Amino acid sequence: MTLARSIVPFFIVGASLGACADVPPSYDNPPRVEQRIEYGVIERIDLYRAGSDTATGLGAVLGGVAGGVIGHQIGGGRGNTAATIAGALGGAYVGNQVERSNEQDRYRIIVRLDGGARLELEEVGEGELRVGDRVKVVNGRVYRS
């Protein structure tokens, strides 16, 4: 009787863990990917800058480290220390300026759909787009049709 009582909890734990096992996916019915397709005409294309003028500090840190390493290669003694500090400060300044100027040109495309609605999109597919072009919008991405 004690043997049966000591074995039963192991069976319960084993059955519980087996129930948690992952079942491999069935490839007989692959999941459907629904596409939303709409048609319209480009009303307007706006150019704007993505990013901000505020730096995260990463450029300054990386520039400071690089400048410090380069400055350390110059001179010896107190001159070496001064060159390391000057290199680190100069590198931090340059790295910060590079990071702040790293903005990207982006496009905002306004599409008047056939149903009368207006869409504002930023994702562009292949091809050059112009105002007045007939386009197809597939899942929020604009393509020339």
Side-chain angles (χ1 to χ4, degrees), residues 22-70:
D22 287 337
V23 177
S26 170
Y27 294 105
D28 295 336
N29 296 325
R32 275 191 199 180
V33 177
E34 291 193 31
Q35 289 188 350
R36 182 179 174 138
I37 301 174
E38 299 171 296
Y39 294 91
V41 176
I42 295 180
E43 249 183 23
R44 194 171 80 216
I45 299 175
D46 297 327
L47 175 68
Y48 70 96
R49 293 226 173 233
S52 65
D53 289 339
T54 59
T56 61
L58 185 60
V61 170
L62 293 176
V65 170
V69 169
I70 292 170

Side-chain angles (χ1 to χ4, degrees), residues 1-11:
M1 189 69 134
T2 56
L3 181 62
R5 285 186 181 181
S6 63
I7 293 177
V8 170
F10 288 112
F11 284 118

Side-chain angles (χ1 to χ4, degrees), residues 105-125:
D105 289 340
R106 302 284 309 219
Y107 293 96
R108 182 176 297 116
I109 300 157
I110 311 297
V111 177
R112 171 72 68 182
L113 297 177
D114 290 345
R118 197 182 266 176
L119 281 180
E120 199 171 295
L121 305 158
E122 295 183 4
E123 296 295 324
V124 179

Side-chain angles (χ1 to χ4, degrees), residues 82-98:
T84 301
I85 293 171
L89 292 175
Y93 176 77
V94 170
N96 189 40
Q97 294 304 314
V98 168

